[in-house]
Amino acid sequence: MFNSKILFFCFIAFCIIIVPAKKVLSQFDPHPELDWYTIETKHFYVNYHNGAESTANRIAKICEEIYGPITSLYKYQPKEKVSFIVNDVSDIANGATDYFGNRIEIYATSLDYDLRGTHNWLRNVITHEFTHIVQIQSSMKYGIKIPTIYLQWLGYENEIRPDVLYGYPNVIVSYPLSGVGVPAWYAEGTAQYQRQQLAYEYWDSHRDMILRSFIEGGNLLTWGEMGQFSSITSLKAESIYNLGYSLTRYIAKTYGEDKLREISKNLGGFTNFGMDKAVKKAIGIDGSDLYNEWKAYLKKDYDARLVDVKNSVVDGDIIEAKGFANYFPQFSPEGNKISYLSNQDFDYGTTGLFLYDVLLKKSELIALPVSTNYAWSPDGSKIIFAKRNSPQTIHHTTVFDIYEYNIKSKDEKRLTENRRAYSPSYSPDGKLICFVVNRDGTLNLEIADANGKNSHAVTAFNDGEQIYNPKFTPDGKKIIFDYSYEDSRKLGEIDIVTGNILFLLEDKGVDYRNPVYSKDGKKIFFSCDKTGIFNIYSFDRETKEVKQITNVLGGAFMPSVNDKGDITYSSYKSTGYKIAVIKGYSENDPTSFGDYKRPDILITKYSNDTLNAGSSYDWIKLRNFDDKGITKVDKKTYKSLFTPLSFVPV
């Protein structure tokens, strides 16, 4: 019998239940219908399924090359081999890290995201995710075997009966002591920072655009907002990546790269449960003061860099401001409508196809969901576009297929089936379509009849090359597109009969994208960041002269021109991409606009003469990588691996 009023028990609950080690499946989302293989290297396992061999072999090469540079920064090496899981069943670009289980999942599909610039996907994502493993594990309080500790008090009812010791629990108080306390901005910021000597991620024009627009718009995320992914909008989520990267760069540049390691170590202290204290111990001021210092620096820096641009701004009138993702505006063939993609109030990452009536100044949604670039038929009766399959297949794969929308009947017709095809466009006579096809991390160009039948490949890349936004030339003999392999993009044109490629505009470190021809074929309109800010330009095929059309504070992308001399494009503001129109645009020599004093890319301070000085790594070789045509590594049939034994409190 038990007579006391209330009894509180206090205990530490890290070993109440010992959970058997969980079997590491072939993926976080397993696909047992596929045959799986494993490549084993000195520090890694690379697990992949049939069809992803090229990506897996490149990963096996890259991960060993970046192991030393990342682990040396944090002076920490994972206790066991890290497992990479390569997924190429869906048209999704992503990477995910299980830092307790020492495993990383990589989707082979290269990231093409309008809130980021273009970098070599595998080099970037592998280094990013492995940095998560190293940086977060180095910050853990109890190691990977004990995720958290709970302090817990239990109270019971006062039950006076000879057959009952005590009554039901009526009080429970739990206080978790997490083993990981890395805020979102720092986890992603250090993963974006990687090692800047590698140059697999750097402060590009897209990142600068987002941060610059926040400062100009006066809506920079607060110190608290940067700490967690509390919003479902991808602009907010991407801003945490972006601002975290900027602040991490600021710490490294102002206080020293070694402070990244010190802050990580301080986060793992048993008596520290906040970022403010970890920062103060490393650099002498707490986190909120660091944030204010960084914010003041940015305001002063951007004010100085934008002085000349503000004196010569050329930007359009906004016709669609709702939503943060408004992409690919295109004039209809007759010019009285503008189509565009917009996320409006849709769920995260979803865009629909809208039609804007130029005379009535009203928009209507005609298809949902629609992704990637698309095209009008020459007679204006149809629009061809791509969207991911819905519902998903039995094996949970999500792939793009091509659809045709009839403007008059408002009917939608599916043209391809599980082709992983997107960014379609019509030939000038409407008899053919071109599109890109995704396989094993590489995008290739194909042509088919207008109904999607009788397709054949025009390119045969297989080493991670990327083709974007293909459009037929006005004579129908060639296709223009933007292309990338290492970083940035260049504009190419391919002969559909011979397969010969001519690169029209290319400069190292300059991003050329979104090319479209004038109807007479004499000019190409495109977006470019040659000044550090993306603007719309024209290129004269005969004279080779380049002229600037816009001069914006944010960014201008995805142009379309009509016969009346109007131009529409996607204009970036502090709240995202909007649709803009300039009636009667004019072309100007770029020197007629005020210069944007482009911020330094942190890696530029490392010249080739000093980059390797005093270092045990050949940074120059690592930056000038060659992942094409690599030798295949011996593989083995996949066998189950197990994560480390963990103690989980309940």
Side-chain angles (χ1 to χ4, degrees), residues 107-120:
Y107 284 81
T109 302
S110 180
L111 182 69
D112 178 17
Y113 187 34
D114 296 293
L115 291 173
R116 294 197 187 186
T118 300
H119 303 270
N120 182 280

Side-chain angles (χ1 to χ4, degrees), residues 12 68 169 198 209 231 273 345 356 378 456 500 503 511 534 557 594 599:
I12 298 177
L198 293 169
M209 175 182 72
S231 171
F273 293 95
D345 295 324
Y356 174 82
H456 66 275
N500 293 331
F503 287 108
D511 194 310
F534 277 97
F557 304 83

Side-chain angles (χ1 to χ4, degrees), residues 115 203 206-222 225-226 233-244 246 291 294-295 298-299 302 306 324 553-554 572-576:
L115 291 173
W203 194 249
H206 275 81
R207 299 206 174 283
D208 190 52
M209 175 182 72
I210 295 173
L211 183 59
R212 180 178 67 247
S213 298
F214 273 140
I215 295 297
E216 284 297 297
N219 56 341
L220 188 72
L221 299 185
T222 66
E225 287 174 329
M226 288 171 57
T233 70
S234 58
L235 180 58
K236 168 71 180 295
E238 182 60 24
S239 298
I240 291 174
Y241 279 77
N242 195 64
L243 273 57
S246 175
Y291 170 85
W294 166 67
K295 183 178 178 180
L298 292 175
K299 182 69 170 66
Y302 281 122
L306 287 168
F324 65 85
L553 295 175
Y572 189 84
K573 310 296 182 182
S574 66
T575 54

Side-chain angles (χ1 to χ4, degrees), residues 7-17 148-156 166 169 171-177 648-650:
L7 178 66
F8 292 90
F9 289 93
C10 176
F11 59 93
I12 298 177
F14 65 84
C15 58
I16 290 188
I17 295 180
T148 188
I149 291 175
Y150 283 89
L151 298 177
Q152 192 170 83
W153 287 263
L154 297 177
Y156 299 89
Y166 48 80
V171 177
I172 179 169
V173 179
S174 298
Y175 188 81
L177 302 175
V648 180
V650 295

Side-chain angles (χ1 to χ4, degrees), residues 535-640:
N535 275 292
I536 306 301
Y537 294 82
S538 68
F539 172 71
D540 191 298
R541 287 304 311 267
E542 183 177 346
T543 66
K544 312 301 181 186
E545 188 175 17
V546 174
K547 291 187 176 181
Q548 188 171 343
I549 296 173
T550 65
N551 195 44
V552 299
L553 295 175
F557 304 83
M558 312 167 195
S560 177
V561 180
N562 67 9
D563 293 338
K564 299 177 182 179
D566 303 329
I567 186 167
T568 181
Y569 56 94
S570 183
S571 182
Y572 189 84
K573 310 296 182 182
S574 66
T575 54
Y577 287 92
K578 314 300 177 182
I579 303 300
V581 174
I582 297 177
K583 292 187 176 181
Y585 72 88
S586 60
E587 298 171 325
N588 300 277
D589 187 291
T591 58
S592 65
F593 292 110
D595 288 337
Y596 173 61
K597 298 175 177 63
R598 186 174 187 156
D600 294 334
I601 297 174
L602 195 60
I603 61 170
T604 58
K605 74 177 184 179
Y606 303 111
S607 66
N608 285 346
D609 294 334
T610 61
L611 192 61
N612 290 340
S615 174
S616 57
Y617 304 106
D618 189 342
W619 298 111
I620 297 174
K621 183 178 180 180
L622 288 169
R623 290 170 68 175
N624 299 317
F625 60 86
D626 182 6
D627 296 335
K628 292 185 177 181
I630 62 175
T631 304
K632 292 183 178 180
V633 184
D634 290 340
K635 65 182 180 181
K636 298 178 181 178
T637 301
Y638 172 79
K639 293 183 179 180
S640 296

Side-chain angles (χ1 to χ4, degrees), residues 375-422:
W376 288 81
S377 63
D379 62 3
S381 66
K382 300 174 182 178
I383 296 178
I384 192 171
F385 59 83
K387 67 177 181 179
R388 291 188 177 95
N389 58 293
S390 180
Q392 295 181 345
T393 66
I394 189 172
H395 295 301
H396 303 288
T397 59
T398 304
V399 300
F400 279 109
D401 272 301
I402 296 174
Y403 294 76
E404 182 182 80
Y405 180 83
N406 188 297
I407 300 293
K408 185 176 181 179
S409 67
K410 298 185 178 181
D411 292 329
E412 184 179 291
K413 181 181 179 182
R414 186 171 185 167
L415 301 184
T416 66
E417 188 79 28
N418 296 324
R419 284 302 319 278
R420 305 187 68 178
Y422 48 92

